Amino acid sequence: MMRRVLYRLGLGVVTLFCVYALTFWMVIVVPGNPFASGDRNMPAEVERALLARYHMDDNTAYFFEYLAGAVRLDFGPSFQYRDWTCTQIIAQSLPVSVTLGLLAMLLAVLIGVPAGVYSAVRRDGWLDGATLGLVLVGVSLPTFVIGSALLTVFAVYLKMFPIGGWGTLMHLPLPALTLATPFAAYIARLTRIGMLDVLSGDFVRTGIAKGLGRGRVIRRHAFGHAFLPVLSYLGPAAAQAMTGSFVVEKVFGVPGIGQHFVDSALNLDRGMVLGTVFVFSAMIIVFNLVVDVVYGMVDPRISEVVA
Amino acid sequence: MVWVSRRAWRRFRGDRLGFAGGVSLGLIGVTMILLLPFSTSWFNVQDLHGAVRANPTIAMPTSYDVYSVSLSESLLGSRFVGFGSMMHSVAGVFGFDDLGRSVFFRVGLGWVISMMIGAGAAVMATVIGVGWGTVSGLAGGAIDQLMMRIVDILYGLPYVLFVVLLRVVLADPMTDWLGGRSQLAGVVLVVLAIGSVSWLTMARVVRGQVLSLKTQGFVEAASANGAGSVRIMVRHIFPNVVGVVIVYASLIVPQAILQESFLSFLGIGIQSPLPSLGTLASDGVNAVNAFVGFWWLIVFPCGMLFTTLLAMNFLGDGLRDAFDPRGKCGMVGSG
């Protein structure tokens, strides 16, 4: 187990380095520099001095210097927001996005798993129909449409929630639910299929033949198997949920990192782009590691195999 | 091979939802292609005599002349001037947007553009995914391990960040490369950005197929007869993975269309005035604030998007059940 964790941790560090290098390459490939863009017409000497000040005249040196800063969570100054360092901006807005993403994942599991289990156990019941409806909406409507619909109904007409913003508990449910919908749909689908598969298995039949109640067989024996595919989906899903929150943030006016990232990519704000990608990737690698360790504990077959 | 596909077709015919999805997709497609001459000439025509954001109506648009002129000027439309007067009356059925443009014709062109983006991304993802999966499966050993680890790693990365970066970073080089046609460059870039992150599942599935094919008699026989690895790949492996590849490619299309709508909503998708279902839906969402109900700006584009994606998902699931009965991962789930 320990060896597996160490192996995955090492792999994670290598991955993070590769991601950083790739992002660095993409941001540096862009022709032009942040001082030349916009309407700031500056003399050539000033521009050269600025480039030298921020080590943009020598990409190789900058690569390592920035990396050294990044591991200490120092992402340099932002070119786009004056008097702000990238670390300050990220520290202020990233927790918002992550909170929203994790809350949505939690909600997706809490909705998707029971919906999938019940629709598999009582096929063609009303809950099966409702789950199908959820799945259809989840795969066929963009989240910004779902979000706007929820906003119109629950915030504007029913006045149950504030229309937008961030800060109180009442601000959370609508964006989290919106972000959760596609993931809940996919998890319900995975659970339902896994459950149907398991319910026709030998050990379930044996359990029922031995006189165990149907509910007990489902809870104690079938559910664990059906949950495994969901567990391995959680890693990629978290990566998508945290970045998927960009769209939801815009619908609900949540001050997350989404708009900052898009703006900084558009304005070639290198520090912000590199810093955001770095932090996001690091968090997602850690999250994947946790999911992996949990998977190994739930399914002992896999913990023997390193790699 | 023929026998396999006939059996697959029979299974597909029995799947009512999948079949219905295919038929409705076909009907929508034929309608949109028939409308194409009119939607390409009229998607950007402003009817400013009527009220901006006018209600849906079946009356003639007021700037009749503008429509006729722009139809006769357009490359595709010039042959259809005769039908033009008839088509005028449908310009208003979905209402007009905030610039006085016909939502009907914008949805018409937007559908085609969305479909092109979906198909383009699917083709790109297929080429990368099939290549990656085949090489990985055939090579085996350390190379296989390495290539599949890379796929695992990419699965876990926040690919949306890279879609945004690719779209933004390559915008200028691509425009230069296409001779300054920035509209076209925008479309190509969206396809590139989405296609380059959508090939992972395809690579995994193809590798699995190749691994199981590799041990079968006819491949070993070919190899014993001295066929090189390229020949084995082209003559013996590819024909046998075609079915699975078609299935997974058909499932990439709706995902790519959804991705494009997210990019459009963030302001980095298809650039105006070109429409796509995603830009139309996000424009609609932005225009409709709950206090003034411009409902037609959101209902028609979103309805179109919903119907199309639903039909495609049903079709893709139906195809998967038909070609790959054991890969039960359908949206509705097979029991």
Side-chain angles (χ1 to χ4, degrees):
Chain A
M1 194 68 202
M2 204 56 214
R3 234 184 108 200
R4 185 175 163 76
V5 172
L6 282 178
Y7 171 79
R8 295 294 306 225
L9 210 56
L11 200 64
V13 173
V14 175
T15 310
L16 192 58
F17 181 78
C18 293
V19 168
Y20 169 74
L22 180 69
T23 318
F24 193 89
W25 178 75
M26 278 171 70
V27 184
I28 297 301
V29 164
V30 183
N33 65 66
F35 306 114
S37 66
D39 44 13
R40 277 177 283 169
N41 260 327
M42 57 180 73
E45 305 83 54
V46 178
E47 193 179 316
R48 263 203 306 280
L50 272 174
L51 286 180
R53 160 78 181 77
Y54 294 110
H55 303 276
M56 288 181 171
D57 44 353
D58 181 358
N59 285 338
T60 321
Y62 189 56
F63 180 89
F64 290 109
E65 188 183 312
Y66 194 90
L67 185 61
V71 288
R72 283 179 283 116
L73 295 183
D74 172 14
F75 302 111
S78 165
F79 299 125
Q80 182 190 352
Y81 305 95
R82 291 189 176 179
D83 305 327
W84 286 79
T85 68
C86 297
T87 310
Q88 282 172 324
I89 300 174
I90 293 174
Q92 203 172 58
S93 53
L94 189 76
V96 176
S97 295
V98 173
T99 311
L100 196 56
L102 289 181
L103 201 63
M105 287 310 300
L106 189 68
L107 215 54
V109 173
L110 288 182
I111 296 173
V113 171
V117 170
Y118 278 104
S119 68
V121 173
R122 301 215 192 292
R123 285 183 70 188
D124 305 321
W126 68 270
L127 243 164
D128 195 15
T131 307
L132 180 61
L134 169 78
V135 172
L136 297 185
V137 169
V139 296
S140 310
L141 271 183
T143 40
F144 59 86
V145 176
I146 301 173
S148 306
L150 289 177
L151 197 62
T152 312
V153 174
F154 291 102
V156 178
Y157 288 115
L158 298 179
K159 297 192 169 47
M160 288 162 69
F161 298 102
I163 286 182
W166 190 253
T168 69
L169 279 181
M170 290 309 276
H171 283 114
L172 289 173
L174 286 186
L177 189 64
T178 307
L179 187 53
T181 310
F183 301 106
Y186 195 76
I187 288 175
R189 200 164 145 180
L190 278 179
T191 315
R192 182 179 189 273
I193 295 160
M195 209 60 193
L196 284 177
D197 220 32
V198 171
L199 284 180
S200 59
D202 286 341
F203 64 98
V204 169
R205 207 175 327 139
T206 310
I208 292 181
K210 276 171 66 185
L212 294 177
R214 198 170 149 80
R216 188 180 161 85
V217 172
I218 290 167
R219 274 193 305 274
R220 293 290 298 272
H221 300 279
F223 177 73
H225 285 258
F227 189 66
L228 285 180
V230 176
L231 196 56
S232 54
Y233 171 65
L234 284 186
Q240 284 181 42
M242 287 185 199
T243 44
S245 71
F246 288 11
V247 170
V248 176
E249 282 163 19
K250 198 174 170 193
V251 173
F252 291 93
V254 174
I257 202 160
Q259 201 58 47
H260 289 312
F261 180 75
V262 174
D263 286 345
S264 51
L266 284 171
N267 293 320
L268 304 182
D269 192 346
R270 304 170 167 202
M272 273 298 290
V273 173
L274 280 169
T276 313
V277 174
F278 192 84
V279 176
F280 257 119
S281 305
M283 278 189 331
I284 285 161
I285 287 167
V286 171
F287 189 85
N288 273 308
L289 182 70
V290 172
V291 168
D292 209 55
V293 170
V294 172
Y295 197 105
M297 288 194 295
V298 175
D299 187 358
R301 280 172 304 182
I302 206 165
S303 60
E304 303 304 319
V305 195
V306 179
Chain B
M1 194 59 211
V2 174
W3 176 75
V4 169
S5 34
R6 194 167 293 161
R7 196 177 56 183
W9 170 246
R10 211 171 45 234
R11 264 200 300 260
F12 182 66
R13 281 291 300 265
D15 178 5
R16 273 179 305 159
L17 275 178
F19 198 67
V23 169
S24 40
L25 197 64
L27 285 179
I28 298 176
V30 168
T31 316
M32 291 303 153
I33 287 167
L34 286 180
L35 277 175
L36 200 57
F38 301 98
S39 35
T40 44
S41 8
W42 290 347
F43 77 94
N44 206 19
V45 170
Q46 290 180 290
D47 189 357
L48 292 175
H49 297 279
V52 170
R53 282 182 179 148
N55 273 302
T57 164
I58 46 165
M60 286 275 193
T62 40
S63 53
Y64 187 84
D65 300 340
V66 189
Y67 279 83
S68 305
V69 169
S70 89
L71 182 64
S72 60
E73 277 175 352
S74 114
L75 201 64
L76 273 174
S78 50
R79 298 184 192 167
F80 295 87
V81 178
F83 293 103
S85 57
M86 203 169 78
M87 294 305 289
H88 279 136
S89 55
V90 295
V93 286
F94 286 3
F96 294 89
D97 71 0
D98 49 351
L99 295 175
R101 301 175 294 195
S102 159
V103 174
F104 182 75
F105 290 116
R106 289 184 71 73
V107 168
L109 184 61
W111 190 89
V112 175
I113 290 181
S114 280
M115 212 49 65
M116 278 161 51
I117 290 171
V123 167
M124 189 174 160
T126 304
V127 171
I128 304 179
V130 171
W132 193 274
T134 316
V135 170
S136 176
L138 280 184
I143 299 176
D144 181 34
Q145 283 295 315
L146 180 70
M147 288 177 85
M148 280 302 117
R149 268 310 81 70
I150 293 177
V151 169
D152 286 348
I153 288 169
L154 290 178
Y155 246 117
L157 286 181
Y159 68 90
V160 177
L161 299 183
F162 289 99
V163 172
V164 173
L165 270 186
L166 275 173
R167 171 72 184 83
V168 171
V169 164
L170 293 178
D172 288 341
M174 183 59 82
T175 309
D176 291 343
W177 191 63
L178 289 173
R181 277 170 290 193
S182 62
Q183 294 274 321
L184 183 63
V187 178
V188 173
L189 270 179
V190 170
V191 171
L192 277 184
I194 298 173
S196 60
V197 295
S198 316
W199 54 271
L200 299 173
T201 308
M202 182 70 89
R204 270 188 185 174
V205 171
V206 169
R207 170 180 171 269
Q209 287 282 315
V210 170
L211 279 186
S212 74
L213 284 173
K214 205 165 70 164
T215 56
Q216 293 199 355
F218 66 94
V219 175
E220 279 174 11
S223 153
N225 277 325
S229 56
V230 173
R231 187 179 163 82
I232 289 180
M233 205 150 100
V234 174
R235 291 296 300 272
H236 301 284
I237 303 287
F238 279 161
N240 285 293
V241 295
V242 164
V244 175
V245 167
I246 290 175
V247 169
Y248 282 87
S250 75
L251 289 167
I252 294 177
V253 178
Q255 283 165 19
I257 293 176
L258 266 187
Q259 287 288 332
E260 187 277 325
S261 77
F262 293 140
L263 286 182
S264 293
F265 186 71
L266 292 174
I268 46 180
I270 299 299
Q271 300 301 308
S272 78
L274 277 189
S276 73
L277 289 182
T279 45
L280 291 171
S282 77
D283 285 352
V285 165
N286 289 330
V288 175
N289 53 55
F291 308 102
V292 207
F294 301 116
W295 56 269
W296 57 94
L297 293 183
I298 189 160
V299 165
F300 294 115
C302 289
M304 199 52 159
L305 189 61
F306 184 73
T307 319
T308 308
L309 292 184
L310 209 56
M312 292 183 119
N313 277 306
F314 280 139
L315 175 66
D317 281 346
L319 285 177
R320 175 164 47 195
D321 290 346
F323 276 102
D324 183 18
R326 269 166 305 164
K328 288 185 220 156
C329 262
M331 173 164 50
V332 197
S334 35

